[in-house]
């Protein structure tokens, strides 16, 4: 069983209650560094919290091997958490109070919910950042279809890759960051938030259709992503594993108001599963890439949430 590549920030801070940070589709674990590095503009966990940030299967430096099912992703997370406990927190590994604070964006939010359902005693709290689950079939199919195009992840230059990555952000964020031209529509410069992907998630490769051409691509597997989209269409908020299973102390559901992932039925399902008294729902005026689009508000919201745990 594969152990995912993972990054540990502030390893000596809170080994018994680390934040387990799970990125979304096309992402990587180092995206979460902006929350833990005191040298960044928006640290949420400056030396006070240990953060374990994984590269999911098919992403970053982790294996791309099949299977790519929901069950395999959950096994990967559990095995990697065991490896972290054995290597970085042996004292915590032996303690009965070891539990993580899950932090998941998009597909990572989907996995966070199902990780809790599989391992309820290991979860102390959950933050769901615009989670993607119970996707409508036609929308999921259209989204997955894009990844069948080999040019989807092939760029002639680093600059082109940065611009294309920026297109995933909502236009309001691009406008606020001065990335649009005088017409208010044309993207003329990359968003500063994508630099962490350019620095840590981009690689060179030889174009299989033109052996003399060197191109750039982000480190993710299309097959993994297509399989993941199918799982997000198939499953919603999981039922509790058993009536007496422990619930997280708190659950924060952040909804990107300019997107369509977190519908009212999703909010109702989360509240029904975890209880109104444990669930906080906040709607933020931004697109799906919340931590890049409104970093100050995102950081402030997380600080407030974690201060109460």
């Amino acid at each position: 069983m594969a152990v995912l590549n993972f990054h540990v920030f502030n390893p000596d801070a809170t080994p018994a209650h680390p934040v387990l940070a799970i990125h979304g589709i096309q992402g990587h674990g180092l995206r979460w560094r902006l929350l833990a590095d005191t040298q960044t503009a928006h640290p949420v966990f400056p030396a006070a919290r240990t953060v374990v940030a994984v590269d999911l299967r098919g992403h970053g430096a982790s294996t791309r091997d099949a299977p790519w099912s929901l069950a395999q992703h959950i096994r990967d997370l559990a095995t990697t958490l065991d490896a972290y406990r054995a290597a970085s927190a042996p004292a915590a590994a032996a303690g009965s109070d070891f539990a993580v604070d899950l932090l998941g964006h998009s597909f990572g939010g989907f996995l966070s919910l199902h990780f809790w359902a599989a391992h309820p005693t290991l979860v102390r709290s959950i933050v769901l950042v615009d989670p993607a689950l119970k996707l409508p079939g036609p929308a999921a199919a259209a989204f997955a279809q894009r990844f069948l195009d080999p040019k989807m992840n092939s760029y002639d230059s680093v600059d082109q890759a940065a611009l294309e990555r920026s297109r995933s952000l909502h236009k309001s964020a691009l406008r606020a960051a001065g990335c649009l031209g005088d017409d208010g529509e044309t993207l003329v410069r990359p968003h500063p938030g994508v630099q962490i992907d350019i620095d840590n998630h981009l690689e060179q490769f030889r174009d299989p259709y033109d052996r003399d051409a060197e191109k750039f691509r982000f480190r993710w597997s299309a097959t993994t992503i297509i399989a993941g989209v199918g799982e997000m269409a198939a499953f919603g908020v999981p039922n509790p594993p058993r009536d007496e299973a422990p619930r997280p102390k708190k659950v924060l559901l952040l909804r990107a108001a300019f997107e369509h992932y977190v519908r009212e039925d999703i909010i109702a399902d989360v509240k029904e599963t975890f209880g109104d008294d444990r669930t906080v729902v906040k709607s933020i005026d931004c697109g799906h890439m919340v931590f890049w689009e409104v970093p100050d508000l995102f950081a402030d919201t997380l600080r407030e949430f974690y201060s109460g745990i």
Side-chain angles (χ1 to χ4, degrees):
M1 195 177 297
V3 173
L4 301 175
N5 184 61
F6 62 95
H7 316 270
V8 181
F9 309 116
N10 307 326
D12 299 323
T14 52
H17 300 298
V19 174
L20 179 59
I22 310 172
H23 63 78
I25 275 177
Q26 304 180 66
H28 58 106
L30 285 173
R31 276 185 177 174
W32 299 111
R33 186 173 63 189
L34 79 166
L35 300 181
D37 188 347
T38 56
Q39 302 305 308
T40 63
H42 312 285
V44 174
F45 311 113
R49 296 293 304 277
T50 297
V51 179
V52 180
V54 299
D55 292 343
L56 291 171
R57 180 175 292 256
H59 294 77
S62 289
T63 180
R64 280 153 171 68
D65 292 348
W68 308 297
S69 63
L70 170 59
Q72 183 61 52
H73 282 296
I74 299 306
R75 286 193 293 269
D76 286 345
L77 291 169
T79 304
T80 303
L81 191 57
D82 285 344
Y84 158 74
R85 294 173 69 181
S88 303
S96 60
D97 66 336
F98 181 90
V100 299
D101 295 317
L102 291 173
L103 169 60
H105 171 243
S106 191
F107 184 54
F110 170 74
L111 294 179
S112 295
L113 289 168
H114 288 272
F115 183 86
W116 163 75
H119 304 281
T121 61
L122 289 180
V123 178
R124 189 171 70 151
S125 72
I126 306 176
V127 175
L128 304 168
V129 185
D130 209 35
L133 59 158
K134 207 160 69 173
L135 300 179
F143 182 68
Q145 183 72 29
R146 296 166 48 204
F147 293 90
L148 295 176
D149 182 356
K151 295 181 180 179
M152 164 97 179
N153 191 25
S154 178
Y155 308 100
D156 293 330
S157 66
V158 173
D159 289 343
Q160 183 194 11
L163 283 172
E164 289 303 315
R165 177 62 92 200
S166 297
R167 295 187 200 282
S168 66
L169 277 67
H170 193 270
K171 192 169 289 185
S172 62
L174 297 173
R175 186 177 298 111
C179 301
L180 300 180
D182 293 339
D183 61 0
E185 297 292 332
T186 305
L187 184 65
V188 296
R189 61 181 62 86
H191 190 277
V194 308
Q195 191 62 45
I196 198 163
D197 275 19
I198 301 303
D199 292 343
N200 300 283
H201 200 40
L202 196 67
E203 63 183 7
Q204 266 188 301
F205 74 104
R206 185 76 64 181
D207 189 337
Y209 303 100
D210 181 359
R211 302 298 296 177
D212 294 328
E214 287 193 346
K215 299 290 187 76
F216 295 86
R217 65 187 176 195
F218 292 103
R219 296 188 300 163
W220 47 257
S221 160
T223 49
T224 307
I225 289 175
I226 292 170
V229 172
E231 297 290 64
M232 288 187 287
F235 298 100
V237 178
N239 293 320
R242 55 189 184 277
D243 289 342
E244 69 275 15
R247 304 294 198 275
K249 290 183 178 180
K250 292 177 68 177
V251 175
L252 173 62
L253 174 56
L254 293 180
R255 173 181 173 270
F258 298 161
E259 295 291 349
H260 56 272
Y261 291 102
V262 182
R263 306 182 304 270
E264 289 301 321
D265 61 309
I266 299 294
I267 294 173
D269 288 348
V270 170
K271 287 183 175 181
E272 181 179 358
T273 297
F274 298 108
D276 281 341
D277 57 330
R278 298 170 188 249
T279 305
V280 177
V281 180
K282 290 194 174 184
S283 185
I284 298 177
D285 288 341
C286 65
H288 190 53
M289 304 301 288
V290 182
F291 43 85
W292 284 347
E293 297 189 21
V294 286
D296 290 318
L297 179 57
F298 180 64
D300 288 345
T301 302
L302 290 192
R303 286 192 203 99
E304 180 182 359
F305 176 80
Y306 285 116
S307 67
I309 298 176

